[in-house]
Amino acid sequence: MKPSWLAPVAITLLTVVGTSLFSQGQQQDQAPRPALSRSDEMLDRWNDIGNKLVAMAQDFPEDKYDFKLQKDERTFALNLLHAAALDFVLIRRISGSNLGPDFGDGDNPTRDAFKTKADVVKFVQEAIADGAKVIQQQGDAGLDKTSKFGSRLAHNSTIWTFAIEHSGEHYGQLVVYYRANNMVPPDSRR
């Protein structure tokens, strides 16, 4: 004798599997959306990592802003300041303007200039907003121009990619700071 519940369960499973396969088939048949312009793609990546750093700057407790895991590391705040300062160095180079504060040849501002959490948050927000503005203003043609990058010239697309990767490296470091303080980073809460 077969249990009386087996038939309804089997029918339900077949219905779910059939519906799933049908919807997958429909999704595969649909043409992909067209690519964004190269500058819109760059802007998307710039804003994605930038917004993560801004969220962390806003979220992390101010009393832990000077936290670091080891004595030879940057603090939480100094990681954010360094990432934003390097962004400004590169933004100025690409745009040929004087956007943002100039720390000379360095990209390591001290906490003396950014004493509070609000100061750090504002600085990171400004770097992301100014970079986004330059990407939008210059468009695709701006990505093909060249700027000084170390001891050579490089296409601005390479410099933007370097800045995005650099911010991503510091985002990863800040995730470690979150975890070391038994906190969940904003991007992992979804």
Side-chain angles (χ1 to χ4, degrees), residues 49 79 164-174:
I49 191 60
N79 266 285
I164 292 165
E165 178 188 6
H166 179 259
S167 290
E169 290 169 2
H170 285 281
Y171 168 79
Q173 180 65 40
L174 298 177

Side-chain angles (χ1 to χ4, degrees), residues 7 17 34 37 50-52 57 63 66 91 103 106 125 132 138 147 157 166 169 173 180-181:
V17 169
S37 69
N51 289 334
K52 288 177 185 179
D63 65 340
D66 291 312
I91 290 166
F103 301 104
Q125 288 173 324
Q138 292 187 350
S147 300
S157 59
H166 179 259
E169 290 169 2
Q173 180 65 40
N181 283 283

Side-chain angles (χ1 to χ4, degrees), residues 112-131:
D112 294 339
F114 302 92
K115 294 185 186 315
T116 68
K117 176 179 175 173
D119 294 337
V120 174
V121 169
K122 182 180 177 198
F123 183 58
V124 175
Q125 288 173 324
E126 288 171 352
I128 302 311
D130 286 354

Side-chain angles (χ1 to χ4, degrees), residues 60-68 75-77 111 177 180-183:
F60 208 70
E62 186 163 13
D63 65 340
K64 295 183 183 282
Y65 253 53
D66 291 312
F67 172 80
K68 58 183 175 178
T75 65
F76 182 87
R111 289 278 275 151
Y177 287 21
N181 283 283
N182 296 315
M183 297 173 62

